[in-house]
Amino acid sequence: MPIDTKTNRREPSPQQNYLSKILTFLFWLLILVNLVLFGEPQHPQVPYSQFMAQVEADKVSRVVISSNQIQYELRSEVIAQVPNKQSPAQPKQIFVTIPVAMDLELPKLLREHKVEFSVSPPSNLNWLAVLLSWIMPPLIFLSIWGWLIGRNQLNGPAALTLGKTKARIYSEGSTGIKFNDVAGVDEAKTELQEIIDFLKYADKYTRLGAKIPKGVLLVGPPGTGKTLLARAIAGEAGVPFFSISGSAFIELFVGLGAARVRDLFEQAKQQAPCIVFIDELDALGRSRVSSGSIAGSNDEREQTLNQLLSELDGFEPNTGVILLAATNRPEVLDPALLRPGRFDRQIVVDRPDKIGREAILRVHARNVSLAQDVDLSKLASRTPGFAGADLANLVNEAALLAARKSHTTVTMTDFNEAIERILTGLEKKSRVLNETEKKTVAYHEVGHALIGALIPGTGTVEKISVVPRGVAALGYTLQLPEEDRFLVTESEIRGRIAALLGGRAAEELIFHEVSTGASDDIQKATDLAERFVTLYGMSQALGPIAFEKAQHRFLEGLSNPQRQVSPTIAETIDREVKDLVDSAHEMALTILGKNQQLLEDTAQKLLAKEVLEGEELRHCLHQVQAPAEVDIWLHTGKLLKSALTAQSKA
Ligand code: ADP
Ligand code: MG
Ligand code: ZN
């Protein structure tokens, strides 16, 4: 796992701030109201009857009558008799009583007993209470409403944000990434440099009548640096850079995405010259013919796409808005997007070759202190097929390993271990195999290794191990390609299938019983055989006809849609696939049968040491002997009769 410097910790968002402000405001308001309304000193309350009795007994000196209560004081001589527990220091204590409705007799009674009495004006605090009772509910309502809207601004459409673009605008240098940080994709860089040039010195081109390109599409497998390139452009172009992901346009409500597109281009035109970058364009630009079946989402995507198409046509050639987009599925894009005048330039950002990989490793190793023995070019040759993201991951893994061992520098050993780790997963010390299992795994892996060593073009076997690793592997054979391969021949595919089945063959040969350990190998071998027949047209019986439509140019591993075939052809395909796998299996058995002693010895060595590599492994693998029929089979796919019969006897 690469260390991600961005953590997922949520910054307090604006609407959370807003909410907390409102809450504190309400809190203080409540406190204030409390103070004002109920903050008067509390007087002891007495029953009305007791008050009347006290008046009649001439104990009361003064009475203040207000609308809802009566406050009164006792005569001083009475206070002297009744010691006051609560506040003895207070000479004149005020009592409160609630009158029984409107007691019209009271003034008369008071006058009779010579009590001084007055009526207080209605409390001036009352109006405040009334006012607050009117203001508070709407205030609470408004604040909740405001909060909801604020929240919606982040999460989805809301009244105030309908159709506003979510693009982020970067100014020059704000991404902190320069062209120097992107390596190994020189053609793409040259093309993009040209486009930056267009923007910077537009009149140089327009004077000659050239039109500035409108749309540039970056296509390539995942992790090759398309997004990185775009960010580098933002850093280098010196013009505003709008960045948005294609999926940000797709909304629940039909028409919203289209409004967003419109808004984005409106803003872009105001800021021209500028670059608009749409990442993962396929989310938005999927072909209208083939895209999904749910009516609503389809409609929305179509409208959004139409809007994008018309915006692309809409701005004049030289307004200086360049649309840049990236995708790893160019084949699903709507053809209308790709026609001249729209995304008329396609830049392929492919997996790097050896030199490119070395350059990428150098970029990522800049901030890592490397040991003397680290040879980046050797590492580059050991990592065919790695994309930029894998290489970045490799450097990071190696640094992590070195740090774990408390080394001061990252050594070649760390790098090699990191490669292994990336290819086969983490070591699982906790998964303990019992003796039989261990033995099975050892023979299985040696079976792979022996055949792998014999078959040309499958790479060098570098390591065999019976230490469990990764998700599924109980043991593994690390076989690294010697060089970048762009073409694979028929005989190599046969060889690979045989090597994949070597594990199963070894189990059969030694234990006369098979285990579930080979299921992954069998899966891979069958897939390969199927492609041999249906995609590469290598089967003799069927000839060069493709029965799969090659659709995923950059996404390997996704299965392709099948061509419709007649039942006879389907049968032939199945038979051809089966024949190929069967003959490879046969061959694996033949090879291991001829090298059975070597298989035994090597497996025993492996069981004793758990890991075989380096000189020792090379010494073992050198002794593998090739049966005569292997070569013929590899090139023609034909098994000699003798081999077949020999095996069926065995
Ligand atoms: P994608 O092509 O899928 O958009 P990214 O641009 O997101 O790939 O690449 C992911 C990461 O891999 C980058 O952040 C960078 O660290 C590394 N990387 C990929 N390609 C390159 C490259 N050509 N040079 C340097 N680093 C690269
Ligand atoms: Mg990307
Ligand atoms: Zn295996």
Side-chain angles (χ1 to χ4, degrees):
M1 281 276 121
I3 293 181
D4 200 343
T5 47
K6 284 171 276 170
T7 57
N8 252 344
R9 183 162 36 88
R10 279 263 202 101
E11 295 290 320
S13 56
Q15 78 283 353
Q16 275 168 330
N17 263 338
Y18 181 56
L19 180 67
S20 69
K21 262 185 213 152
I22 296 262
L23 280 181
T24 28
F25 175 68
L26 283 181
F27 175 73
W28 284 115
L29 202 63
L30 274 178
I31 298 250
L32 187 76
V33 167
N34 238 335
L35 275 182
V36 167
L37 288 188
F38 311 107
E40 311 164 44
Q42 291 289 302
H43 305 300
Q45 203 168 12
V46 295
Y48 190 58
S49 59
Q50 189 185 335
F51 163 69
M52 292 301 273
Q54 281 173 331
V55 171
E56 276 166 5
D58 281 336
K59 286 182 180 170
V60 178
S61 70
R62 236 162 61 87
V63 172
V64 178
I65 302 170
S66 58
S67 60
N68 53 359
Q69 65 178 23
I70 296 172
Q71 295 186 1
Y72 68 97
E73 282 169 30
L74 296 183
R75 287 184 203 282
S76 34
E77 50 287 11
V78 182
I79 298 173
Q81 292 163 9
V82 185
N84 192 324
K85 284 163 267 164
Q86 283 177 340
S87 48
Q90 196 179 330
K92 279 184 187 161
Q93 192 170 7
I94 296 171
F95 294 88
V96 172
T97 185
I98 312 286
V100 183
M102 270 295 217
D103 191 348
L104 293 175
E105 302 288 303
L106 186 63
K108 207 171 129 206
L109 186 74
L110 290 176
R111 221 175 301 133
E112 274 171 16
H113 292 270
K114 302 219 169 54
V115 180
E116 178 192 340
F117 72 95
S118 59
V119 175
S120 82
S123 163
N124 57 344
L125 292 174
N126 265 353
W127 67 266
L128 191 63
V130 171
L131 197 67
L132 280 175
S133 73
W134 276 95
I135 285 179
M136 287 291 271
L139 212 62
I140 291 173
F141 171 75
L142 275 177
S143 58
I144 291 178
W145 187 64
W147 172 65
L148 280 179
I149 285 198
R151 200 181 56 160
N152 270 349
Q153 271 172 341
L154 262 206
N155 293 348
L160 299 182
T161 56
L162 276 177
K164 277 270 177 292
T165 171
K166 292 177 178 174
R168 275 199 244 161
I169 306 178
Y170 297 98
S171 53
E172 180 179 12
S174 63
T175 57
I177 290 179
K178 296 266 167 194
F179 263 154
N180 280 342
D181 297 317
V182 191
V185 282
D186 296 330
E187 299 86 357
K189 267 161 78 173
T190 321
E191 292 241 12
L192 290 170
Q193 205 94 53
E194 194 182 311
I195 284 154
I196 292 179
D197 215 45
F198 273 135
L199 283 178
K200 275 190 179 158
Y201 315 104
D203 40 335
K204 185 171 102 189
Y205 294 89
T206 49
R207 221 181 310 136
L208 291 172
K211 285 193 182 120
I212 295 179
K214 269 187 204 166
V216 179
L217 185 62
L218 299 170
V219 297
T224 45
K226 299 180 295 297
T227 309
L228 190 71
L229 264 173
R231 282 160 69 201
I233 292 180
E236 299 256 352
V239 296
F241 184 89
F242 294 78
S243 170
I244 190 166
S245 165
S247 59
F249 291 107
I250 304 303
E251 287 287 359
L252 184 60
F253 301 112
V254 175
L256 255 193
R260 290 229 168 101
V261 172
R262 209 173 307 130
D263 187 64
L264 173 65
F265 280 90
E266 232 152 63
Q267 286 194 33
K269 274 182 241 169
Q270 280 164 16
Q271 303 236 13
C274 69
I275 297 176
V276 175
F277 173 57
I278 303 182
D279 208 353
E280 316 293 351
L281 181 68
D282 47 287
L284 151 67
R286 190 166 301 192
S287 166
R288 282 165 287 188
V289 188
S290 65
S291 62
S293 56
I294 307 166
S297 70
N298 214 1
D299 240 22
E300 159 67 354
R301 181 175 301 147
E302 204 163 298
Q303 283 206 12
T304 312
L305 176 57
N306 280 333
Q307 187 64 42
L308 180 66
L309 291 174
S310 75
E311 290 291 351
L312 274 170
D313 284 340
F315 52 84
E316 278 85 60
N318 292 322
T319 46
V321 179
I322 290 189
L323 186 59
L324 190 66
T327 180
N328 38 36
R329 308 185 58 192
E331 66 280 340
V332 303
L333 291 182
D334 198 280
L337 265 179
L338 302 178
R339 76 143 165 78
R342 285 177 180 149
F343 281 103
D344 37 14
R345 288 198 173 205
Q346 290 199 23
I347 300 180
V348 178
V349 188
D350 216 342
R351 288 212 179 79
D353 54 9
K354 179 172 172 291
I355 296 169
R357 287 196 299 273
E358 191 181 336
I360 295 174
L361 282 171
R362 189 151 293 129
V363 166
H364 287 281
R366 273 195 303 226
N367 302 324
V368 176
S369 52
L370 299 179
Q372 286 289 318
D373 66 338
V374 174
D375 183 349
L376 292 182
S377 112
K378 213 182 237 166
L379 281 176
S381 57
R382 284 175 60 103
T383 47
F386 276 41
D390 303 319
L391 294 167
N393 186 20
L394 169 63
V395 174
N396 189 51
E397 271 305 322
L400 283 179
L401 281 172
R404 205 165 298 154
K405 295 182 213 151
S406 317
H407 291 170
T408 48
T409 52
V410 185
T411 63
M412 199 64 175
T413 324
D414 296 321
F415 273 103
N416 284 334
E417 213 173 316
I419 292 180
E420 202 177 321
R421 190 178 265 210
I422 288 171
L423 291 179
T424 57
L426 288 181
E427 245 175 47
K428 280 231 176 86
K429 288 254 159 69
S430 61
R431 187 182 285 163
V432 182
L433 303 181
N434 69 28
E435 282 311 308
T436 345
E437 283 171 336
K438 212 165 201 166
K439 208 168 148 197
T440 312
V441 173
Y443 279 94
H444 178 111
E445 295 306 334
V446 175
H448 282 308
L450 293 190
I451 298 181
L454 192 71
I455 304 276
T458 50
T460 328
V461 180
E462 299 213 341
K463 190 170 182 175
I464 325 177
S465 155
V466 287
V467 181
R469 254 182 195 270
V471 198
L474 297 177
Y476 61 95
T477 306
L478 187 67
Q479 196 168 13
L480 289 181
E482 285 129 8
E483 52 186 355
D484 287 9
R485 295 298 302 268
F486 302 100
L487 289 177
V488 182
T489 61
E490 183 189 346
S491 60
E492 279 165 2
I493 297 184
R494 284 200 192 94
R496 281 185 197 181
I497 298 176
L500 279 168
L501 295 173
R504 162 59 64 96
E507 288 179 40
E508 281 172 72
L509 208 60
I510 304 295
F511 305 107
H512 306 291
E513 188 185 39
V514 293
S515 75
T516 54
S519 72
D520 193 44
D521 301 333
I522 293 173
Q523 186 74 47
K524 281 189 194 141
T526 315
D527 284 351
L528 202 51
E530 196 171 272
R531 262 182 281 160
F532 182 95
V533 175
T534 62
L535 198 60
Y536 308 138
M538 288 173 173
S539 139
Q540 293 279 323
L542 289 160
I545 295 175
F547 298 98
E548 270 180 35
K549 297 177 187 166
Q551 276 221 329
H552 301 288
R553 244 206 297 164
F554 297 116
L555 296 178
E556 283 149 21
L558 286 191
S559 71
N560 292 319
Q562 314 257 311
R563 193 179 296 283
Q564 300 236 315
V565 293
S566 72
T568 10
I569 294 286
E571 222 168 79
T572 320
I573 291 176
D574 288 343
R575 205 186 50 238
E576 284 291 294
V577 171
K578 183 168 163 42
D579 280 356
L580 177 54
V581 175
D582 276 351
S583 68
H585 180 214
E586 216 64 75
M587 217 14 86
L589 280 170
T590 314
I591 295 172
L592 292 182
K594 182 154 180 147
N595 294 285
Q596 192 155 355
Q597 194 51 48
L598 182 62
L599 175 64
E600 290 276 1
D601 295 347
T602 315
Q604 288 306 328
K605 241 185 240 171
L606 177 60
L607 274 173
K609 296 193 133 180
E610 293 210 323
V611 174
L612 273 185
E613 60 188 329
E615 193 46 53
E616 201 174 6
L617 177 64
R618 233 167 294 145
H619 177 73
C620 292
L621 296 182
H622 263 308
Q623 303 171 34
V624 189
Q625 290 174 354
E629 54 269 42
V630 170
D631 215 41
I632 300 169
W633 175 72
L634 281 178
H635 286 97
T636 63
K638 297 212 168 62
L639 289 171
L640 293 183
K641 265 270 152 21
S642 61
L644 267 176
T645 44
Q647 270 322 308
S648 52
K649 267 185 231 150

